[in-house]
Amino acid sequence: MTNNVESRQTKSNLPLGQTNAANCTVCDAPFKTLQECLAHELLKHPIEPLKKLPKCLDAVTKLHASEETQFERRLLEVFVVLSPPGQQLKTVLDFYAGNSALECFLEVRKYIENQLHGKVMVYPFGSFVMGLTLRDSDIDLYLKSIDGNSNELYEKTNRLLRHTGCFSDVIAIRNARVPIIRCKHVASGLSVDISMSSPNGTHNSRFVTDLLNRDVRLRELFLFVKIWAKKLLIIGKVMTSYCLITLIIYQLQQQRHLPSIKKLQSGIPVFDVGGINYAYSLERMPALPAFLTTFDLISGFFELYSHMDFEKKMLSPYLGHALDVEAAFMVPGNFPEYNAQVLAIETAMQERSKPFNVESDVFVQDPFELSRNVGQSISKTQLFYLNQCLAAANEACNDAKLKSTPPKFYDYLLFGLAEQLVEEHRLEHVPPAKQRKERPKKEVKTVDAVAVEAKVEVASTTVAAKGDKSSSSSDDRKPTVADNSCMPLMHVYTLTPTNNDLKTLNSDFVSKDAISINYIWATINVNAIRNILSDIYGLRMKESDANVTDELPLSMIWQISSTLDMWSARNFPRSTTQSFFAQQMQQTVEFRKTRPQNPSYVVNMRGRISLIIAEDYRELRLELQPMPGDLLGLQRNSPLTKFFKSLKNLLCNYNFKEKVISFQYEH
């Protein structure tokens, strides 16, 4: 903030305190004096969101680093590449579309109505009714009691769900704005949210359903933006699905594709539900222009909200435009429709209505229920993250080169955008001590450029290791741990002979020459490492020509790859009846039988292992690095990192005496 003050004073050449107009450096709002501007920045743009932002980015990093997400990313890319020209967006939507929600709903409805002996009616709402279900979408149900006692119905349903094998993870959330019961349908694995106190969700869903049925382009718009928000954890961590839907409705109004709700209700009979008018007539909605594409609508969403001032304006789909928050609710008569509805609700419900929440950081009004702020749960940190996502997506939609390659464009929006935000935040907030260590990686480059430079740097590191072993510190004996703020170029693990290892190599096995003993020690360990990689982990190994020699080379390089995870959940027990290697092979055989059918164990692990041997054969150094172009690389939860951790544990538990016995048996 001090720098901002100094720069302004430099521009104006006036002393601090003298009247001088200034603009906010964050939102560019004009102020008559510099003091007013600084007070505004401290109040409206605190630095606290930046402190909490890493937690939000950590959640995104964890999701995108998972093997399941990486497998999904590769599979989607294949489908998009193979799709016909102009059908790439449809391919993305079909890829994520859910197909088991209907069966789940029919079974749940039948079970609840039968168990409650016809005293309840089950109505679906939300994404299932709107046709916006994804593979991991939940199902929202409203239970209407025939006798009208919703409290008694809540308790009966809660007990019913807990005492049946059809549902699991039953949680009663009583203190929510609308109390619900959340559970999981065992047969389909889908989550189910059940409410009894408010039917408003069913009427909101009816409006969105009718809207989406007007044009397939609208459904594609809603569905893609929802997928995008899910992949970036905007839905779930920042806002609800309904808040996002409300934003899209408001977008359509700003682009003149949809009239305001007020206009849609004008001149038609009122459909009153608890004081709220849910009537509308979409006949007044104009047809979308023939030249308008779904991509135009999607890019329009990002364009609108990347420049939106959420903290000052209340977005009102009912009015079809934004209002100043303070003016709308603090000045009498500025929003008569709101005041009239509050009075109608209090008359219908015979209780005081909760006013619109003006103490939140974001203001998005429900299209029909005017006292409901559907964006009230969004914090300053979440809003900061949301704004970054919207700005990056808008920039991508205006990148002609990126748009010309649909597979890369959709991959960036759904996956690459999050990686870019994490990397940018890391580079902007690296502590000074780490900055000194990371000077070679300070400049932001393309993925290909980073991969090439990593390859060069690793190669130079390997040469240095060969030429001067004395330069290795004690830290080299530990594998480098990947973290979210700094991804290492390689993982390293070092083996040195122990006294027990050398005692095992007695005079009956080798001569008493120290060099020969160390040579045999290195040879046995190299043999064990080869067997572990090829037999226990089942890796495909492409060996360099330099490795093929009768003598033990001082450097060996293997290109490794695997499509099946053979390292996760591997145990390293000790047994007196079976050798350690035999136990590991037994697990490998079991993994080969059970894991190919499980998508969570399908990987695309590719890397390069360098095995460097000291000239006196008293040290083996294993180095693992990713192949160029591997975006996941050596992140904390990447397949390469998990494999290397397992390899290190296996080598630590593999007794040298057993290695000797295996070597003697083979030779």
Side-chain angles (χ1 to χ4, degrees):
M1 194 70 73
T2 304
N3 292 336
N4 291 340
V5 174
E6 291 175 350
S7 64
R8 286 166 179 158
Q9 291 300 312
T10 301
K11 290 180 181 179
S12 62
N13 295 319
L14 293 174
L16 185 64
Q18 186 169 336
T19 302
N20 181 26
N23 283 19
C24 173
T25 58
V26 180
C27 65
D28 202 37
F31 292 91
K32 294 181 179 179
T33 66
L34 188 59
Q35 290 88 339
E36 290 180 2
C37 182
L38 292 176
H40 159 81
E41 288 186 359
L42 288 172
L43 180 64
K44 291 296 185 180
H45 309 295
I47 61 173
E48 190 64 23
L50 291 176
K51 293 182 179 179
K52 296 181 180 180
L53 183 62
K55 292 183 178 180
C56 187
L57 294 178
D58 283 346
V60 178
T61 301
K62 185 176 181 180
L63 172 66
H64 284 250
S66 69
E67 295 175 14
E68 183 179 356
T69 299
Q70 288 301 311
F71 174 73
E72 169 194 314
R73 181 178 185 176
R74 293 189 296 270
L75 193 60
L76 175 61
E77 183 180 13
V78 171
F79 286 159
V80 175
V81 169
L82 296 177
S83 60
Q87 296 296 310
Q88 290 90 351
L89 175 60
K90 186 177 185 303
T91 299
V92 174
L93 301 181
D94 291 342
F95 182 84
Y96 287 104
N99 53 16
S100 59
L102 178 59
E103 296 178 4
C104 175
F105 163 68
L106 294 175
E107 185 175 335
V108 172
R109 181 179 67 177
K110 181 179 179 181
Y111 178 83
I112 292 178
E113 289 181 346
N114 288 344
Q115 292 296 317
L116 295 177
H117 310 294
K119 295 183 179 181
V120 65
M121 299 181 69
V122 181
Y123 298 97
F125 65 97
S127 58
F128 169 63
V129 174
M130 301 173 193
L132 299 176
T133 52
L134 305 179
R135 285 180 293 182
D136 58 347
S137 294
D138 56 10
I139 296 179
D140 298 302
L141 300 178
Y142 167 66
L143 271 57
K144 180 180 179 181
S145 176
I146 300 300
D147 58 15
N149 193 335
S150 60
N151 292 332
E152 183 179 344
L153 177 61
Y154 187 95
E155 298 303 330
K156 282 184 179 180
T157 306
N158 187 28
R159 289 194 299 268
L160 172 66
L161 297 175
R162 292 178 183 276
H163 293 87
T164 176
C166 297
F167 303 93
S168 64
D169 304 332
V170 180
I171 303 174
I173 306 176
R174 305 174 188 274
N175 297 324
R177 187 185 71 88
V178 177
I180 65 171
I181 300 174
R182 179 165 293 164
C183 60
K184 179 175 288 187
H185 182 239
V186 175
S188 64
L190 296 177
S191 296
V192 181
D193 288 352
I194 303 175
S195 64
M196 296 87 170
S197 59
S198 174
N200 295 358
T202 60
H203 303 299
N204 290 327
S205 299
R206 180 172 58 89
F207 169 73
V208 177
T209 302
D210 289 345
L211 175 63
L212 299 189
N213 287 336
R214 299 278 297 183
D215 195 298
V216 67
R217 288 170 289 180
L218 294 176
R219 185 178 303 279
E220 291 174 343
L221 163 68
F222 277 69
L223 196 54
F224 181 81
V225 174
K226 181 179 179 180
I227 293 169
W228 173 81
K230 280 259 189 179
K231 303 315 293 181
L232 289 164
L233 294 184
I234 292 172
I235 291 180
K237 293 290 185 180
V238 177
M239 65 176 66
T240 63
S241 295
Y242 184 63
C243 179
L244 183 69
I245 287 172
T246 304
L247 290 177
I248 302 175
I249 291 173
Y250 183 80
Q251 168 212 347
L252 294 174
Q253 292 173 336
Q254 304 317 294
Q255 296 170 349
R256 303 294 187 266
H257 301 313
L258 177 68
S260 67
I261 302 299
K262 182 178 179 180
K263 289 183 179 178
L264 296 179
Q265 291 182 337
S266 176
I268 63 173
V270 173
F271 177 40
D272 186 280
V273 179
I276 302 171
N277 181 14
Y278 282 102
Y280 59 87
S281 174
L282 289 177
E283 297 302 320
R284 300 173 182 179
M285 176 182 174
L288 294 183
F291 62 84
L292 191 71
T293 66
T294 303
F295 179 80
D296 293 332
L297 293 170
I298 293 172
S299 59
F301 174 86
F302 295 129
E303 171 68 25
L304 173 67
Y305 289 112
S306 62
H307 299 93
M308 181 62 67
D309 185 0
F310 286 99
E311 295 182 274
K312 273 191 169 184
K313 298 178 180 179
M314 181 197 71
L315 310 186
S316 175
Y318 176 80
L319 296 175
H321 59 80
L323 289 177
D324 179 86
V325 178
E326 295 182 359
F329 298 104
M330 303 301 179
V331 180
N334 271 14
F335 199 169
E337 295 88 354
Y338 165 79
N339 297 326
Q341 188 181 96
V342 169
L343 181 60
I345 292 174
E346 292 178 347
T347 302
M349 306 304 293
Q350 292 297 303
E351 61 182 16
R352 189 167 184 80
S353 173
K354 290 185 179 180
F356 187 91
N357 185 355
V358 296
E359 300 299 324
S360 59
D361 297 308
V362 176
F363 312 97
V364 182
Q365 191 176 46
D366 185 282
F368 296 94
E369 189 178 352
L370 305 184
S371 58
R372 181 184 176 191
N373 180 4
V374 298
Q376 66 181 7
S377 63
I378 304 175
S379 67
K380 287 186 181 295
T381 301
Q382 293 165 342
L383 178 59
F384 185 85
Y385 171 68
L386 173 64
N387 285 333
Q388 285 192 314
C389 293
L390 291 167
N394 181 53
E395 186 177 346
C397 289
N398 289 289
D399 187 332
K401 183 178 179 181
L402 184 62
K403 289 190 296 182
S404 66
T405 312
K408 291 184 178 180
F409 174 74
Y410 291 114
D411 178 81
Y412 174 79
L413 281 183
L414 300 180
F415 301 98
L417 190 156
E419 293 175 347
Q420 175 183 307
L421 293 181
V422 171
E423 179 66 9
E424 288 177 351
H425 181 79
R426 184 188 73 81
L427 292 173
E428 291 173 3
H429 300 85
V430 176
K434 283 192 175 182
Q435 286 179 355
R436 290 193 292 272
K437 294 180 181 179
E438 296 182 17
R439 282 173 186 168
K441 297 173 62 181
K442 191 171 183 179
E443 185 179 354
V444 182
K445 300 180 178 65
T446 63
V447 172
D448 292 338
V450 171
V452 171
E453 290 193 4
K455 184 176 181 181
V456 172
E457 188 166 344
V458 170
S460 62
T461 305
T462 305
V463 172
K466 292 180 186 177
D468 185 10
K469 291 298 173 183
S470 62
S471 64
S472 299
S473 65
S474 58
D475 292 339
D476 289 336
R477 300 177 180 274
K478 298 179 181 179
T480 307
V481 180
D483 57 43
N484 290 335
S485 62
C486 177
M487 191 195 306
L489 291 175
M490 68 173 73
H491 288 319
V492 179
Y493 181 65
T494 305
L495 287 170
T496 54
T498 65
N499 290 333
N500 288 333
D501 292 352
L502 299 178
K503 287 179 182 178
T504 302
L505 302 175
N506 53 48
S507 57
D508 294 334
F509 191 74
V510 297
S511 70
K512 294 184 179 181
D513 180 36
I515 295 296
S516 298
I517 290 177
N518 291 327
Y519 179 89
I520 294 298
W521 174 86
T523 302
I524 291 172
N525 275 288
V526 170
N527 183 75
I529 290 171
R530 286 179 188 267
N531 293 338
I532 289 169
L533 297 177
S534 61
D535 297 339
I536 291 180
Y537 289 110
L539 302 181
R540 292 188 293 273
M541 300 172 62
K542 183 179 180 182
E543 200 161 1
S544 67
D545 295 337
N547 296 11
V548 184
T549 175
D550 293 335
E551 298 294 328
L552 183 65
L554 294 182
S555 176
M556 285 164 276
I557 298 175
W558 299 297
Q559 288 187 14
I560 60 171
S561 62
S562 178
T563 56
L564 186 64
D565 181 349
M566 302 289 282
W567 43 88
S568 296
R570 183 176 284 274
N571 299 316
F572 307 102
R574 297 282 187 177
S575 173
T576 57
T577 60
Q578 193 177 28
S579 70
F580 180 78
F581 193 89
Q583 287 179 316
Q584 294 304 309
M585 284 301 301
Q586 189 173 347
Q587 290 187 64
T588 298
V589 172
E590 183 65 25
F591 291 165
R592 287 191 183 281
K593 290 180 181 178
T594 58
R595 294 193 172 183
Q597 292 77 30
N598 191 335
S600 62
Y601 290 109
V602 176
V603 297
N604 182 22
M605 194 269 280
R606 297 182 302 117
R608 187 172 74 172
I609 289 183
S610 300
L611 180 57
I612 303 167
I613 306 174
E615 292 181 1
D616 58 2
Y617 301 106
R618 291 188 178 185
E619 181 182 275
L620 296 181
R621 178 184 171 94
L622 274 171
E623 298 175 348
L624 174 66
Q625 64 187 95
M627 299 300 289
D630 185 351
L631 298 180
L632 198 58
L634 300 180
Q635 293 185 36
R636 182 177 300 166
N637 292 315
S638 70
L640 280 174
T641 296
K642 289 184 176 181
F643 156 71
F644 195 78
K645 288 180 180 178
S646 176
L647 174 62
K648 186 194 75 168
N649 288 332
L650 194 151
L651 290 172
C652 289
N653 286 279
Y654 196 179
N655 185 278
F656 182 71
K657 190 171 184 178
E658 289 191 34
K659 296 178 186 177
V660 172
I661 295 173
S662 297
F663 181 80
Q664 288 177 316
Y665 179 79
E666 291 183 28
H667 294 79

